[in-house]
Amino acid sequence: MLSLVLMALALCLAFVRLCLGPSLPDRVVALELFSSVIVGIIGVVAIATDVPSLLDVAIVMALMAFMATIGFARFLERGGPRDD
């Protein structure tokens, strides 16, 4: 239970950084952190409830988050809009 509370706190802090981030790259990093914490929460819930199929969901979420991060990085690398 303590790990879920700490991850929920991390999720809230990442959401604040996502909304207030001073630049677009900061927001991309916050989005990656947000998705990583979500995957961690799903993993903890899977272990706590003994539902192994939730681990498959966590793996799929991690892969989708990774692909989204790569997409954002390529977008920024090719000269996407930057708010410096």
Side-chain angles (χ1 to χ4, degrees), residues 4-81:
L4 287 176
V5 170
L6 291 175
M7 282 195 232
L9 178 65
L11 199 64
C12 291
L13 292 173
F15 185 73
V16 167
R17 176 51 57 198
L18 184 64
C19 293
L20 300 178
S23 66
L24 189 57
D26 289 332
R27 288 186 173 116
V28 171
V29 171
L31 186 62
E32 177 66 23
L33 176 64
F34 193 81
S35 60
S36 296
V37 171
I38 295 268
V39 169
I41 289 173
I42 293 172
V44 168
V45 169
I47 292 169
T49 59
D50 272 343
V51 179
S53 61
L54 283 176
L55 293 176
D56 295 336
V57 173
I59 291 171
V60 169
M61 286 287 294
L63 288 173
M64 288 177 54
F66 175 71
M67 294 304 290
T69 302
I70 296 298
F72 281 130
R74 292 197 82 179
F75 175 71
L76 290 176
E77 182 182 69
R78 294 188 183 212

